Amino acid sequence: MTLGADDLVDAGLVAPERLGELRRVAAQFQVVLTEEVAGLIDTADPGDPIAAQFVPRAAELETLPEEQADPIGDERWSPVPGIVHRYPDRVLLKPSLVCPVYCRYCFRREQIGARGKVLGRAALDRAYAYIRAHPNIWEVVVTGGDPFLLSPRRVAAMVQTIAAIDHVQVIRFHTRVPVVDPQRVTARLVSALATEKALYAVIHANHPRELTDAAKQAIGRITRAGIPVLSQSVLLRGVNDDAAVLEQLFRALVAIRVKPYYLHHPDLARGTGHFRGDIAEGQQLMRELRRRASGLCQPTYVLDIPGGHGKVSVGPCWLHRDRDGWQVEDSAGVSHRYPPPDGTEA
Ligand SMILES: *Cc1c(COP(=O)(O)O)cnc(C)c1O
Ligand code: SF4
């Protein structure tokens, strides 16, 4: 069972006077929530971090001049349908553009959903042929949409087909299913991921409240199968732009054997300006996180450069050059000279 815009009002999750607003947004962007995330919404909290991620708001209808339909330039790097080949050693493979939920800040919000659907067999075969024909492709990142919505039979066929390509050493699945629709992570789905090649799963979670018992159990089914699990989060104003919240999120992930991989600065997707803070604020949060938590809890804060120029780490930078060499800041914010001047303690 999933919920659309009208269902949110029927279920008492959104006040009836906001129905017009929900429908206006739904006319432009997909609206779907799973029962799992709908059940997490705290209707008493107007700033609820779960509602902020999944319940449409009128602010989504405001487009800033810098916002784009394809903010990270996927289209430009797509040689055949379903493939994005931006970096020499790895490609994205998007077998489907359907998601279990539609996140209000999504960078692919204008490509995904009913409009895009599933890659047909002929298109999928062309995508495999492209990977086979390019021996520099070392890794295939299966994303979408959400590949964990495909049937276990189709997932197994995909894993076996990719694994049979000699030069592909690593297969990576990006998915939000374990967090937002944990019952879908069945024993059959996990078995479908079995391969001799290295296979990683990267889950997506932004707030510690998303890590329910059911989500943790779903993730446990994946890690127990020997599949390393990493996570990505998006830095979202009003959801997790707070050092204590990020600390709780990353500690909770590490404690269930999930390594935080990326913290994404939100992309310039249309109608998402209300989620984006300044990069300097993100850097400050990362500094604070370094002070508070284990190195295992530190993701890399990244920006996907608009126009398809790829992802880069955006700091913070602890090191500055001056006339005498380097100045390096410690996690308490104190600067030290490197190398230390003769005869002094650093
Ligand atoms: C994000 C992305 C990848 C994966 O990048 P990593 O930094 O290796 O995680 C690969 N291809 C494209 C086109 C991407 O956008
Ligand atoms: S699950 Fe990922 S691709 Fe799907 S709507 Fe959310 S952010 Fe976008």
Side-chain angles (χ1 to χ4, degrees):
M1 271 287 286
T2 57
L3 293 83
D6 286 26
D7 303 324
L8 288 169
V9 173
D10 294 343
L13 294 169
V14 176
E17 55 271 25
R18 286 189 54 206
L19 183 60
E21 176 184 355
L22 296 184
R23 285 181 174 167
R24 277 202 309 283
V25 178
Q28 281 220 246
F29 301 109
Q30 301 280 314
V31 177
V32 174
L33 287 79
T34 55
E35 282 188 340
E36 204 74 31
V37 296
L40 287 177
I41 292 174
D42 176 2
T43 51
D45 177 2
D48 178 50
I50 306 297
Q53 293 183 66
F54 303 109
V55 176
R57 272 184 282 176
E60 292 177 47
L61 300 171
E62 289 160 30
T63 298
L64 300 171
E66 64 271 30
E67 291 178 342
Q68 298 158 19
D70 178 15
I72 63 170
D74 277 354
E75 202 45 52
R76 180 178 159 195
W77 295 105
S78 180
V80 296
I83 292 277
V84 183
H85 194 182
R86 175 181 297 139
Y87 305 108
D89 72 329
R90 56 210 191 274
V91 289
L92 303 185
L93 171 60
K94 300 191 269 189
S96 134
L97 293 168
V98 182
C99 290
V101 287
Y102 290 96
C103 311
R104 307 323 305 161
Y105 52 85
C106 178
F107 65 123
R108 283 197 191 116
R109 60 194 328 223
E110 298 191 58
Q111 283 77 45
I112 53 175
R115 280 178 278 256
K117 301 236 176 79
V118 175
L119 213 58
R121 174 171 303 198
L124 196 56
D125 283 343
R126 281 184 68 200
Y128 292 141
Y130 180 87
I131 298 169
R132 275 190 210 101
H134 291 80
N136 51 336
I137 298 174
W138 173 84
E139 178 181 23
V140 176
V141 180
V142 187
T143 177
D146 198 314
F148 276 17
L149 287 187
L150 300 174
S151 70
R153 188 182 51 80
R154 293 197 61 193
V155 171
M158 192 176 313
V159 168
Q160 296 314 314
T161 306
I162 300 169
I165 302 171
D166 274 347
H167 55 263
V168 175
Q169 300 290 311
V170 177
I171 305 171
R172 198 195 315 174
F173 275 80
H174 281 195
T175 176
R176 203 153 175 25
V177 162
V179 170
V180 301
D181 202 0
Q183 316 307 337
R184 272 187 186 274
V185 184
T186 58
R188 281 188 63 219
L189 180 64
V190 175
S191 312
L193 301 171
T195 163
E196 290 299 307
K197 293 271 171 87
L199 185 145
Y200 290 72
V202 183
I203 63 168
H204 172 173
N206 301 322
H207 191 277
R209 270 184 35 223
E210 292 168 50
L211 299 173
T212 60
D213 286 342
K216 288 178 180 174
Q217 283 162 22
I219 294 160
R221 291 193 282 279
I222 304 170
T223 57
R224 273 200 307 279
I227 296 169
V229 182
L230 311 175
S231 68
Q232 344 187 39
S233 306
V234 185
L235 180 59
L236 300 168
R237 179 170 273 174
V239 173
N240 59 13
D241 59 338
D242 177 286
V245 170
L246 290 176
E247 177 188 355
Q248 266 186 54
L249 171 66
F250 298 137
R251 282 192 194 281
L253 287 164
V254 171
I256 54 169
R257 301 189 172 86
V258 177
K259 171 69 186 95
Y261 176 50
Y262 279 160
L263 176 66
H264 295 269
H265 192 74
D267 293 313
L268 295 169
R270 283 207 267 243
T272 62
H274 52 296
F275 284 116
R276 274 191 309 278
D278 191 83
I279 289 179
E281 293 163 17
Q283 293 176 324
Q284 199 44 46
L285 288 167
M286 290 299 295
R287 277 202 181 81
E288 182 81 11
L289 191 67
R290 184 80 240 187
R291 269 192 279 281
R292 286 166 171 259
S294 157
L296 288 175
C297 300
Q298 312 290 327
T300 304
Y301 179 35
V302 292
L303 175 71
D304 216 315
I305 305 171
H309 304 286
K311 292 181 194 72
V312 288
S313 159
V314 287
C317 183
W318 305 83
L319 193 63
H320 302 280
R321 202 188 261 290
D322 67 11
R323 237 182 309 132
D324 305 316
W326 295 101
Q327 288 285 341
V328 56
E329 196 185 321
D330 65 26
S331 61
V334 180
S335 268
H336 306 269
R337 229 156 87 208
Y338 182 84
D342 285 351
T344 65
E345 279 193 33

